[in-house]
Amino acid sequence: MISRSGLHVDVDGEGPDLLLLHGGAGAASDLVALRARLAVGRRVIAPDQRCHGRSPDLGQLTYAAMAADTAALLDELGVRAADVVGWSDGGVIGLYLGRDRPDLVGRLVPISANVSWAPPAPAAMDESAFVWLATAAADDFALPDGRDELPGAAEAWPAIVERLKAMWRGDPGITLAELARTTTPVLFVAGDRDLVRTEHTVAMFEATPNAQLAIIPGADHRVPQTHAAEVAAIVEQFLGRASPAD
């Protein structure tokens, strides 16, 4: 359905609320394997962010704007203290919610996320990643699942990719110092071969009071897709129950 906030969102199941946030240039369906393992006994709220999936282009494309969209959606649904699991850009959005709207977040799991890499934070990515971003073309990013349902979406996609690249090259707008003031329980998850450097993930963990950290061996930035069962088991333990059997 399309919410009053403008986002396309899937809401399914019954029980405590779980907000599932996809990564950049993607859609909610990118996390289908992880969702299947976390959905039992929960109401899952899975939006497509603006300019992603089946959601329209709502204008400015920034982490702050997407976090505001997400907060408006949760307000519309009457959600408070939801468990939030976000991958990559979705993890950054989750950190925004934890900072700006802690009433909406019960527990937070940023997967392969990052904050500002201005000193004293370590660099979030290797220089090779920024070189690739400078040369990557729209053809390097598949049209997100379901976006072909929107009129003119394919033609508009190259311009959206350029806006995404500009966002990724810029400062995400949240800092280690702000993590230090977080009161929400946080579990940071990343792959040991992640696009986000391990040093950066550890710095976020060390900056956040009472946080937990899980590094998944043999995993890259696609860790919630390629290692869904391992990630789900760790997340379920953090959220306070055993992971359902496969």
Side-chain angles (χ1 to χ4, degrees), residues 23-217:
S29 57
D30 292 346
L31 294 175
V32 63
L34 184 62
R35 175 176 177 168
R37 289 169 166 83
L38 297 178
V40 178
R42 293 191 173 98
R43 181 172 75 151
V44 178
I45 302 164
D48 289 332
Q49 296 296 335
R50 59 170 62 194
C51 303
H52 292 74
R54 291 162 287 178
S55 289
D57 185 343
L58 299 176
Q60 185 182 31
L61 188 52
T62 64
Y63 292 115
M66 291 188 285
D69 289 342
T70 306
L73 170 64
L74 296 181
D75 283 336
E76 177 184 335
L77 295 173
V79 171
R80 290 295 181 271
D83 290 329
V84 179
V85 177
W87 172 39
S88 194
D89 282 3
V92 179
I93 293 168
L95 290 170
Y96 263 83
L97 293 176
R99 182 191 70 183
D100 299 336
R101 290 294 307 273
D103 58 311
L104 300 177
V105 183
R107 289 162 290 193
L108 173 61
V109 184
I111 303 172
S112 302
N114 68 277
V115 295
S116 171
W117 48 88
M125 297 179 289
D126 290 333
E127 185 60 32
S128 59
F130 290 100
V131 172
W132 180 81
L133 275 176
T135 59
D139 289 345
D140 295 314
F141 301 89
L143 195 68
D145 189 31
R147 196 152 192 80
D148 56 356
E149 300 174 11
L150 302 181
E155 294 79 5
W157 183 238
I160 289 175
V161 167
E162 290 305 313
R163 290 158 65 191
L164 282 167
K165 288 168 55 182
M167 183 181 74
W168 293 333
R169 289 195 298 265
D171 191 292
I174 189 167
T175 66
L176 290 180
E178 289 169 327
L179 294 186
R181 296 191 289 272
T182 298
T183 58
T184 302
V186 182
L187 166 66
F188 293 99
V189 179
D192 63 354
R193 294 294 181 268
D194 211 296
L195 175 66
V196 178
R197 298 172 68 236
T198 301
E199 294 91 333
H200 188 86
T201 302
V202 170
M204 291 192 295
F205 159 68
E206 291 179 338
T208 306
N210 302 313
Q212 298 181 32
L213 173 65
I215 302 296
I216 309 299

